[in-house]
Amino acid sequence: MLCTTTREGNECAFMSKNGCTFSGGTCNPAIEACLGCERLVTAGDMQYCSSYPDPAAKWRYGVCNFATHVKGTSKEEAKINPLKASRRAHRR
Ligand code: SF4
């Protein structure tokens, strides 16, 4: 549903007919680690994440798994089994 509050006009999974359902009724601004990420959107003079309402939480335990600007976070790279990749490399 389209946001009608903090990120007005942006698609958001937390928006409902009754308003923002995220904690506190608004998403939180992006943090410094998000700079360069393609998921950043600007609303007013602040930047927010288009995929997750609390960017700081996404970085709390390591690299954000949605980040587009940090290597090793895409699903394709994560799916590679290092043992199988090694066997494949030896076969060539
Ligand atoms: S996807 Fe992760 S790194 Fe990118 S803006 Fe959102 S929280 Fe920040």
Side-chain angles (χ1 to χ4, degrees), residues 38-86:
E38 291 171 14
R39 296 182 199 266
L40 280 177
V41 292
T42 303
D45 56 354
M46 302 292 281
Q47 286 196 304
Y48 297 90
C49 175
S50 61
S51 301
Y52 197 71
D54 187 8
K58 274 289 180 197
W59 287 90
R60 196 164 292 144
Y61 302 108
V63 175
C64 168
N65 61 329
F66 293 158
T68 62
H69 61 311
V70 182
K71 280 193 167 194
T73 56
S74 77
K75 284 184 179 169
E76 282 70 32
E77 286 179 52
K79 283 181 186 171
I80 293 173
N81 179 329
L83 192 60
K84 287 181 181 176
S86 172

